[in-house]
Amino acid sequence: FFSSLFLSFFPFPPPSLSLLCFAGFQKTEAPRPPGAKDLHVYPWDKSSLKSMPLDLEQFKKLDDYALKVNVKNSVEELVKALLKQARTDLEKVRAIWMWICHHIEYDVVGYHNKSQLSSKPRDVLQMGKSICEGYAELFEHMCSLAGIQCKKLSGHAKGHGYKTGQTFTGDSDHAWNAVYLEGRWHLLDSTWGSGSVDDSFTKFTYRYNEFYFLTHPALFINNHFPDNSNWQLLKPTLTLKEFENNMLHNSNFYMLGLLATHPETPIIQTVNGKASVSVDCRSSTLFMFKLKGAEEHGLMTLEKHGMKLDIYPQKTGSHKLEIFAKPSKAEASDDVYKCVVEYVVECESVDKAMRFPKELHQPVGPSWFSERQGFLRPSHRQPVLHTNDGRCSFTFTLGKDISVLTSLHGDGSSLAEDMGRRHVLQIQRRNQIELKVHLPHAGSFVLKIYSKKKSDPGNYDYIFNYLIRCLNTEVKWPAFPQSYSKWLQDYEILEPLSGLLPANRNVQFRLKMHGVAKVLVQAENTYPLTQNKGVWEGTCSTSGCREVFVMVHENANHSFYSQVLKYEVETQ
């Protein structure tokens, strides 16, 4: 019976797959039943993942040794070989645990054909495979040979084939162990420690999982419910009903340092078409989500200690919501997003107004991540900005050596990519940047922000985005003027901001530019601008032309002018 743990990347197998692993477990008596001193407080106190203090680094040598032991002729010989490097009871249990997790595979064929199956320790060792019952019996037998009290436990588990919110009836469907160390009982599951089974329950893959070794009982109860409630090792103990209704947090959840989810119930009802979920964690963690297998109909924001997610399903009915996480420090190459928790969202009514543009990327809004990329002190901390007149402005303090690129995206094809860039005006004043946005029409828009190091020749990297909403159907702002490569990042247009000039009119120009010798405005005629305290000023007539260019003369000794800005003129 398998942990859904690493199976989170696959959908569940068909319900026809029985959850039973082996019925009719025999009971073995352990010398001392669990008492008050074995109990841990429930709910989890968020302290340790283990039921006793462990330094896994100290096991390194022992683990390596145990993995290499290759004795298959008898269980006695195997235990004797393993104990050569183990002094304390804890080390003996660790050596046995490591060996079983790396040498016994889950018997997917035997699972489907139990009559041919023996879970006797000798047979399990000879075959090198078994189901949970065989893992637990082998573990118990090896411990007793090593002089350690160990008990095989049976009960219900939320493992392979588990469906959110299901009930458990009938015989137990899983087996695991309790071991007696340093004066109290501890729990472990070597079946789930060894690896996982694929979706169709036809292939086992070794994938060691440290989580199930001496797991803290308040976490073990998450997916293991023993027939005898004393073996929960908890105060208070949980009822089967509570176990069924509790949120399933798999081992990825805890191994990634996540602490809690809200709500704590796996089935959520929408209220007015919206459902909200949040996850708490210790350190900066990256998240993503899937609703019915697609990352859409949601608005996720990253917080320093977790994330918040609002879901707006666009169809009524039941929707599977999966939440994935990965550490933000991407040193390890195996840092892929792992499923950490699943909900079922029951939607009774749809909020059509909360349709998001296809271009919206999760997470939305600024966060510790954008801050880490050098976008400090954002003027808008919220992910969504509402504007009534179709104009808005965002400011940031920029970290050193950062070059910024922005673009605006509408819904559908209302905004071509080159025009999307021209509806955002970047103004840089020393280490401050302002992004002025003028929307072309009412609707929902995405403002995407990219950056790169100025010293890097490479491409810009996407950093984050905002959602901008405008309901006012009167709104119709023209694009900003088109700028060319000679227009520097710290130049500033004071006026005219509109890239579309009125026809047959005298237009006032005021431009902040440095390091140029002359500035001209080229229309039907040419109009020189004069410099006054760093601002180039003057007027130009738009009559008789369709385009107006601003040109600069970088060096008074050259006769060469460069175009820096281009305006269109309205047609009559």
Side-chain angles (χ1 to χ4, degrees), residues 273-286:
K274 170 183 169 182
S276 298
V277 171
S278 63
V279 179
D280 303 339
C281 61
R282 284 205 174 89
S283 58
S284 315
T285 304
L286 293 168

Side-chain angles (χ1 to χ4, degrees), residues 62 65-66 69 78-86 95-96 99 142:
L62 177 65
Y65 170 78
V69 169
L78 171 60
V79 172
K80 203 185 283 177
L82 285 172
L83 297 193
K84 277 188 182 141
Q85 295 286 322
I96 292 167
W99 193 90
M142 288 174 75

